[in-house]
Amino acid sequence: MPAEVFHISQLPGVILQLLAGLGLFLFGMNTMSEGLERVAGKQLKNLLGTVTQNRFLQVLLGFVITVLMQSSSATTVMLVGFVNAGIMQLAQAVGIIMGANIGTTVTVLMMSIKLDFHFIFCFVGCILLFLPAQFKKLKGVMPVIFGLGALFIGMKFMSGAMEPLRSWVGFTNALKAVQNPVVAVLIGAGITALIQSSAASIAILLPLAEMGFIDFKMCMFILCGQNIGTCVTAVLACMGASATSKRVACVHLLFNVIGTVVFVVFACILPVDQWIVALVNTFDAGNISMQITVTHIIFNSVTTLLLLPFCTQLEKLACLIIRDDGVESEAMKLLHFDQRMLMTPAVAAEQLFNEVQRMGTIALSNFNKAMECFNEWSDEKSSEVMRNEEVLDFLNKEITTCLVEVKGLDLDERDTRLVGSLFHVVNDMERVGDHAQNILEAATLRQQEDIKFSPKAIQELDTLSEMVSGQLELAMKNFRDQLSGEDARKVVEETEQQIDDMTEALRQHHVDRLKQHKCSAKNGMIYLDILTNLERIGDHAENIATSVDKATVHLQA
């Protein structure tokens, strides 16, 4: 029976079905990726902490992270964020990028395996969704299984959409006319850049190859282009980032461009396609999808082996292409957190924790310098306190905004408690900065009007300020080291009580001096103002220290 002839009126339906399949595929990929990140989020954070200068370990790390995230683009974007936040150096990121390119071959290998029971994945995933709460860990696997099923169904939709095109002579002739390797590379790069996913563009390529629209040799060149096209995601992600971060995207692009040039040259000179077909035929004869998968594995693995000894040169080349912008790093920005970290919630929570610690260090420094200005005026220290106060206000606003975003992510229970406690800690640290500024204003008034205090009054304020400074340092240490429990809380509460008792005693001493006419009203106003601010700082220090008990956080788990 002759095949049905394709009519142009069928084209809109074909396009809609193709887009529906592509959308379902991308949804499945994203769902599976988020599920894997959710299940392995803590392990991912621990893996990132193992980054060393050993190139082979970096490659292995990049491979593992990409397998967990199911996207080399996502891994590279994450690296851009880490380098921009100063967590990682460019030299460390180079090896991880190479490993990420090998890791993405696992996704393609998975797509090339023919599964006729993919609907079962979606069914099982939905069943897991309705399990009781006590099966929390099992329910956590649901997105991975459901996403895998959706991915395969999306591929089947795309394959079904292309089936009627077999009888469209114009379409088949157009594809078969693509015999130029450079054109094939450009087609692969363009499609991948457009849909922002090499896995999705390969998912489109596989049924076209299986139906005979494109011969295997041209598929190899298109595949090379797809590796270049996937770099566009990282290039877009580094817009507005530091020069060093842009070099991460540049290294990713250089890796794939150099690999493509080498592969295309060798494939044009030598019968590489025949060698790969012969290799695949030894275990799966005639399977062109597996031939494409093996090509993908060979391309990324060989390119990594080829360029791994030249990581330093690759880094220098990226530095040569992306020049320093000449702008020095400023305090008025987040140093440990980058918006790209929102892709990995566990890491984002950890880095915001580091940002809050930085804020606490600045607040403590401001308090100490303000008291130093009160005892002995310094224009330089006064200016530094004012600059730092602006930084504290900025950090308060930015960190709070980021905490709101991170709180809306899929966090585990421990990270949720941590983020919740950070809201309060940030506010307390900002208030410490405000009280330090109040102390500086009192110091400014004293300096401008040359107000003298008795040695006794100075000694009293020094004693109390040292106690408050020690209390604040202890609170920061408890927060930084996540010290919770009865002992830590007891020390904090005892110190706070001592501060309150001393403040009350000093107020009474001041009243006695006023009665004896040993202190002027203006002196008394400044003295009481300093006492009030010192006591308030002690209160906020206690809040910071006890926030650890409220969080009972993740670092201990």
Side-chain angles (χ1 to χ4, degrees):
M1 188 174 179
E4 183 180 348
V5 178
F6 181 85
H7 193 272
I8 196 66
S9 61
Q10 296 176 256
L11 188 58
V14 170
I15 294 174
L16 285 175
Q17 186 176 341
L18 181 62
L19 291 175
L22 179 61
L24 192 56
F25 176 89
L26 291 172
F27 169 76
M29 280 286 295
N30 186 60
T31 303
M32 184 170 62
S33 176
E34 288 182 353
L36 285 167
E37 199 283 325
R38 168 71 171 160
V39 172
K42 291 298 178 184
Q43 289 82 348
L44 180 60
K45 185 182 69 179
N46 294 334
L47 283 171
L48 290 169
T50 64
V51 177
T52 67
Q53 298 300 325
N54 187 302
R55 298 295 188 190
F56 292 101
L57 289 179
Q58 290 170 9
V59 171
L60 179 61
L61 180 61
F63 173 81
V64 173
I65 290 176
T66 304
V67 170
L68 291 176
M69 298 188 72
Q70 285 295 296
S71 171
S72 61
S73 295
T75 302
T76 308
V77 170
M78 186 175 67
L79 291 177
V80 169
F82 288 164
V83 172
N84 195 49
I87 302 173
M88 189 180 293
Q89 299 174 351
L90 176 62
Q92 295 172 315
V94 173
I96 298 176
I97 289 171
M98 294 182 177
N101 278 272
I102 298 177
T104 195
T105 61
V106 174
T107 307
V108 180
L109 178 62
M110 188 171 58
M111 290 191 299
S112 67
I113 299 173
K114 302 303 177 185
L115 295 176
D116 294 328
F117 49 87
H118 42 261
F119 290 96
I120 297 177
F121 286 109
C122 291
F123 176 75
V124 172
C126 291
I127 292 296
L128 292 177
L129 180 64
F130 294 103
L131 286 177
Q134 54 263 39
F135 296 98
K136 183 178 178 180
K137 289 188 176 179
L138 196 57
K139 289 182 71 173
V141 184
M142 182 275 295
V144 181
I145 298 175
F146 182 82
L148 187 62
L151 182 151
F152 282 114
I153 293 174
M155 287 186 64
K156 196 170 186 67
F157 263 65
M158 287 189 283
S159 179
M162 295 175 191
E163 184 66 32
L165 298 177
R166 283 178 180 270
S167 57
W168 187 9
V169 179
F171 179 75
T172 56
N173 289 341
L175 288 179
K176 289 180 179 179
V178 179
Q179 296 298 320
N180 188 308
V182 176
V183 174
V185 169
L186 292 175
I187 290 173
I191 293 174
T192 307
L194 185 65
I195 61 179
Q196 296 279 293
S197 170
S198 61
S201 62
I202 292 173
I204 295 173
L205 177 65
L206 291 178
L208 288 174
E210 290 170 353
M211 294 176 192
F213 291 133
I214 309 173
D215 64 64
F216 173 59
K217 189 165 187 175
M218 285 303 106
C219 284
M220 291 195 312
F221 299 134
I222 292 174
L223 193 65
C224 291
Q226 289 169 332
N227 278 275
I228 295 175
T230 195
C231 301
V232 172
T233 307
V235 170
L236 293 175
C238 70
M239 296 297 181
S242 65
T244 307
S245 304
K246 292 175 182 175
R247 288 167 186 157
V248 175
C250 185
V251 168
H252 190 211
L253 182 60
L254 287 171
F255 175 87
N256 285 295
V257 169
I258 293 172
T260 295
V261 170
V262 173
F263 188 88
V264 169
V265 169
F266 272 92
C268 291
I269 297 174
L270 302 171
V272 176
D273 56 323
Q274 297 176 25
W275 294 344
I276 294 175
V277 170
L279 173 64
V280 174
N281 283 344
T282 59
F283 60 89
D284 196 355
N287 189 342
I288 192 169
S289 292
M290 188 58 67
Q291 292 167 10
I292 292 172
T293 301
V294 170
T295 303
H296 195 235
I297 294 172
I298 291 173
F299 173 85
N300 286 288
S301 301
V302 172
T303 303
T304 298
L305 290 174
L306 181 68
L307 295 180
L308 190 59
F310 302 99
C311 281
T312 303
Q313 288 75 11
L314 203 60
E315 181 185 349
K316 289 180 179 178
L317 182 56
C319 292
L320 190 64
I321 295 172
I322 307 295
R323 301 282 187 172
D324 285 321
D325 48 24
V327 178
E328 295 182 3
S329 59
E330 299 176 359
M332 202 70 78
K333 67 177 183 179
L334 298 181
L335 299 181
H336 304 287
F337 182 82
D338 186 280
Q339 284 290 324
R340 300 163 189 84
M341 292 176 186
L342 295 174
M343 297 171 58
T344 49
V347 177
E350 175 80 10
Q351 291 311 116
L352 281 177
F353 176 72
N354 293 334
E355 284 291 354
V356 176
Q357 287 185 68
R358 173 194 168 208
M359 188 178 179
T361 302
I362 296 173
L364 177 60
S365 174
N366 255 21
F367 164 62
N368 289 329
K369 282 185 170 57
M371 285 305 303
E372 289 169 9
C373 283
F374 181 80
N375 292 326
E376 184 177 350
W377 182 258
S378 167
D379 289 333
E380 182 181 349
K381 289 179 181 178
S382 172
S383 298
E384 187 175 349
V385 170
M386 295 305 295
R387 286 196 303 271
N388 283 344
E389 176 57 24
E390 292 180 2
V391 175
L392 286 173
D393 290 340
F394 169 82
L395 290 177
N396 178 41
K397 179 182 177 182
E398 290 298 311
I399 292 174
T400 302
T401 300
C402 293
L403 285 172
V404 172
E405 292 186 74
V406 172
K407 192 173 179 64
L409 300 177
D410 192 12
L411 298 170
D412 61 25
E413 186 178 349
R414 291 164 296 177
D415 283 334
T416 299
R417 286 201 299 266
L418 172 66
V419 171
S421 72
L422 290 182
F423 278 104
H424 303 290
V425 174
V426 167
N427 182 62
D428 282 306
M429 289 178 174
E430 196 272 337
R431 293 297 297 144
V432 169
D434 289 342
H435 290 301
Q437 187 177 26
N438 292 343
I439 293 172
L440 181 65
E441 290 173 358
T444 304
L445 180 61
R446 182 189 180 195
Q447 189 268 342
Q448 288 174 345
E449 302 196 13
D450 194 25
I451 297 174
K452 305 296 183 182
F453 284 89
S454 67
K456 178 68 174 174
I458 292 294
Q459 184 183 12
E460 289 172 348
L461 291 177
D462 283 345
T463 302
L464 182 59
S465 68
E466 286 176 8
M467 188 177 293
V468 172
S469 181
Q471 163 79 331
L472 193 52
E473 286 184 16
L474 179 62
M476 300 297 186
K477 185 178 188 303
N478 280 10
F479 175 72
R480 181 183 68 249
D481 299 336
Q482 296 302 294
L483 300 176
S484 61
E486 198 64 36
D487 292 339
R489 184 166 54 249
K490 186 177 179 181
V491 172
V492 170
E493 290 174 350
E494 286 178 352
T495 307
E496 172 58 21
Q497 188 59 51
Q498 291 171 10
I499 291 172
D500 290 343
D501 291 343
M502 178 172 281
T503 302
E504 187 59 36
L506 294 184
R507 281 199 180 100
Q508 188 57 50
H509 292 170
H510 171 65
V511 170
D512 293 340
R513 282 194 292 270
L514 283 175
K515 288 179 180 179
Q516 298 170 15
H517 302 288
K518 293 181 179 180
C519 181
S520 68
K522 186 170 288 186
N523 286 39
M525 180 188 68
I526 294 177
Y527 183 87
L528 288 177
D529 188 34
I530 296 290
L531 282 184
T532 300
N533 282 288
L534 288 174
E535 183 184 24
R536 297 283 172 76
I537 290 174
D539 292 339
H540 290 296
E542 183 181 22
N543 292 342
I544 293 169
T546 55
S547 70
V548 179
D549 291 311
K550 297 172 186 175
T552 320
V553 277
H554 65 194
L555 296 181
Q556 296 177 354

